[in-house]
Amino acid sequence: QVLLVESGGGLVQAGGSLRLSCVASGRTSSAYFRGWFRQAPGKEREFVAGIAWSEGTTYYADSVKGRFIISKDNAKNTMYLQMNSLKAEDTAVYYCGTRGRSARTYDYWGQGTQVTVSS
């Protein structure tokens, strides 16, 4: 089992920045892919950014490319999401998740952290 704990959400004005953190513990060796997702009220959860933990290869949704940066600290088993040039439409609960290398779906999730961008 993998335990994930997010932090760093908050209220920010449009154009501002926030950095989210996701600390993983437990069977983290199975967490081959780790990612950030978000869910706005009345909408489905959507992929934001992901990283292959060993290789460091990163992936982004088109809506955040050039504004968000995903990174990791292996020693701290922590994943980050630096969010710049925030827009009102970025307002959502942000979740981190993990999945195994051959898994098709993410199977462990954190509790989520609220990001609110005021326009």
Side-chain angles (χ1 to χ4, degrees):
Q1 189 155 353
V2 179
L3 178 64
L4 302 170
V5 179
E6 303 101 333
S7 62
L11 173 64
V12 63
Q13 288 188 334
S17 298
L18 280 176
R19 190 177 80 154
L20 306 183
S21 300
C22 173
V23 180
S25 60
R27 279 194 60 197
T28 58
S29 59
S30 66
Y32 187 84
F33 288 103
R34 305 189 195 186
W36 289 99
F37 292 73
R38 66 187 181 187
Q39 187 167 19
K43 295 187 177 181
E44 293 187 354
R45 188 175 297 189
E46 64 174 0
F47 172 79
V48 175
I51 187 166
W53 199 254
S54 295
E55 296 88 349
T57 308
T58 58
Y59 308 87
Y60 294 94
D62 288 343
S63 59
V64 306
K65 279 181 183 176
R67 300 189 298 123
F68 291 10
I69 301 171
I70 189 171
S71 62
K72 64 185 178 79
D73 184 327
N74 288 339
K76 296 181 179 179
N77 226 330
T78 300
M79 177 174 65
Y80 303 98
L81 185 68
Q82 177 66 43
M83 304 186 295
N84 302 318
S85 302
L86 282 161
K87 306 175 182 179
E89 51 263 43
D90 294 319
T91 295
V93 178
Y94 283 70
Y95 299 89
C96 64
T98 70
R99 67 175 176 89
R101 184 169 189 168
S102 57
R104 293 188 176 186
T105 59
Y106 281 70
D107 44 16
Y108 293 105
W109 296 94
Q111 81 288 352
T113 185
Q114 176 71 46
V115 171
T116 302
V117 183
S118 63
S119 56

